[in-house]
Amino acid sequence: MSGWHENAAMQAAPTLMAATQAIADGQAAPVTARVLCTDLAGLRSQALGLAEAAGFRTDFRVIAPKRPWTLFSPMLWPDPRCAIDAAALAPPEGDLMLGAGGAAARVLATLRRPDLPAVIIQHPRMDTGRFDAVVVAKHDGLTGPNVIVTRTALHRVTPERLALERALWAPHFAGLPRPLVAVLVGGSNGRYRLDTAAARTLAEQLAGMMDRDRVGLMLTPSRRTEPAARAILEEALRPRGAWIWDMQGENPYFGMLAVADAIVVTGDSVSMVSEAVATDAPVMIARLPGKSTRIGAFMDDMVACGRARNFDGRLQTWATAALNDTPMAAAELRRMLGV
């Protein structure tokens, strides 16, 4: 650890370091991270994934803006403590704060104290010096002495979790043909579109793969998948024997990742692609109409490094290895905080 980091960690987190020493002496509970983010699955997964990988005990709090502040960017909130539901700020504080996204950045920067370190995930759109650590993806283009850069989004996919999910879900999918392809479907997000036209294209490609390559297929939509798009996919794929989650009961998402021989994932979500490439399965990206410089750069990088390929309506297989930067980011975070 550099001298700068040593001094910053000692000045910013004395109670955190004391808690860590107490743990080593067998006198205290693990370090507790108060996790703060808006109620979005991608942000929640990143924040909890990093905290868990770092070995922190988590106290998850949802940032819920109150009216009229729901109408404004978090960067325009004069005092975020008055702009969000008080439950997110209720005691206990924990040993450190860990958040993801723009609203969390605004809250953490305000609440940070010398004895309450703040760790933010994603580009905070403000001075990085207002945080003890900033974790960003490579495509964010941000660097600095307290910045941790990852190739993939942070998440909760681990070899241990995949093994548990495989044991749980393998019997459920045992009747489907092999090779078995998991299809992870996102939705329109303001940058990419999964409207009826895009859904028809995707449905035709997936149906063609089932017909020509004789694959088994299991598909999970997301909360962002429009009902009309889901209906198009179901109409094309269910008659061919595809298993499609009806959004009822236990979510099969991690089980599908665990048992798949190959994965097709729509290219609207950095988080979903990051979770897919954390498995050992070949990953094919189904590109959607629209454009995002940052998301597009990430998808292109996954293809350029050979971890993913663009989906062309046929099964593609090649030698792969899991790509997961969450453990690296967690280890670097602990080093940066001096714990």
Side-chain angles (χ1 to χ4, degrees):
M1 180 182 291
S2 68
W4 186 93
H5 284 310
E6 283 184 353
N7 292 333
M10 291 179 66
Q11 294 171 7
T15 59
L16 177 60
M17 296 183 71
T20 305
Q21 182 59 51
I23 293 168
D25 296 338
Q27 299 175 356
V31 172
T32 297
R34 180 164 59 172
V35 178
L36 293 141
C37 66
T38 50
D39 192 21
L40 295 173
L43 296 180
R44 185 169 57 248
S45 177
Q46 291 198 65
L48 290 173
L50 179 61
E52 291 167 358
F56 301 148
R57 186 171 59 184
T58 59
D59 177 11
F60 181 75
R61 310 287 185 93
V62 173
I63 294 176
K66 299 182 294 188
R67 291 188 65 86
W69 303 113
T70 53
L71 306 175
F72 298 89
S73 163
M75 297 306 160
L76 299 178
W77 296 346
D79 186 343
R81 291 169 293 190
C82 300
I84 65 175
D85 187 89
L89 308 180
E93 291 184 327
D95 301 303
L96 62 89
M97 299 179 294
L98 192 154
R106 184 73 177 89
V107 172
L108 266 62
T110 301
L111 298 179
R112 180 189 180 221
R113 305 191 307 263
D115 62 338
L116 188 62
V119 178
I120 190 66
I121 300 167
Q122 293 190 349
H123 197 311
R125 308 300 174 190
M126 64 176 70
D127 180 9
T128 58
R130 299 185 67 178
F131 306 91
D132 295 274
V134 179
V135 186
V136 297
K138 176 183 174 182
H139 57 263
D140 282 321
L142 184 67
T143 59
N146 64 333
V147 177
I148 302 169
V149 180
T150 66
R151 296 166 294 176
T152 59
L154 307 169
H155 53 73
R156 306 175 79 183
V157 177
T158 64
E160 295 78 15
R161 181 167 194 173
L162 290 174
L164 290 173
E165 296 284 346
R166 187 178 300 111
L168 178 65
W169 286 95
H172 187 84
F173 296 120
L176 295 175
R178 293 280 185 174
L180 183 53
V181 180
V183 181
L184 316 178
V185 180
S188 301
N189 59 9
R191 294 169 293 276
Y192 293 98
R193 301 188 310 278
L194 185 54
D195 51 18
T196 54
R200 287 193 187 96
T201 298
L202 179 60
E204 290 170 0
Q205 290 181 317
L206 294 171
M209 179 175 61
M210 293 185 74
D211 293 343
R212 290 177 289 181
D213 299 320
R214 304 299 179 188
V215 303
L217 191 143
M218 48 188 177
L219 182 149
T220 178
S222 71
R223 289 190 297 176
R224 292 186 294 109
T225 310
E226 297 176 5
R230 284 178 53 195
I232 289 169
L233 291 166
E234 290 180 1
E235 182 180 354
L237 302 175
R238 280 196 191 277
R240 291 174 164 83
W243 184 92
I244 300 176
W245 187 40
D246 61 3
M247 309 289 284
Q248 302 297 317
E250 190 171 358
N251 192 326
Y253 183 84
F254 289 105
M256 290 171 55
L257 291 178
V259 304
D261 298 308
I263 301 171
V264 174
V265 54
T266 55
D268 54 292
S269 170
V270 171
S271 290
M272 285 201 308
V273 173
S274 296
E275 288 163 345
V277 301
T279 73
D280 291 324
V283 174
M284 292 163 281
I285 301 173
R287 303 285 184 137
L288 297 177
K291 182 177 181 180
S292 165
T293 300
R294 293 173 60 256
I295 296 176
F298 169 77
M299 303 298 169
D300 291 344
D301 186 53
M302 290 296 100
V303 172
C305 76
R307 185 59 191 89
R309 294 182 182 176
N310 290 317
F311 181 54
D312 61 2
R314 297 299 300 268
L315 174 66
Q316 302 178 62
T317 59
W318 65 99
T320 61
L323 174 59
N324 183 1
D325 276 0
T326 304
M328 176 278 294
E332 181 64 9
L333 175 62
R334 292 186 66 93
R335 183 195 69 81
M336 194 172 285
L337 294 177
V339 301

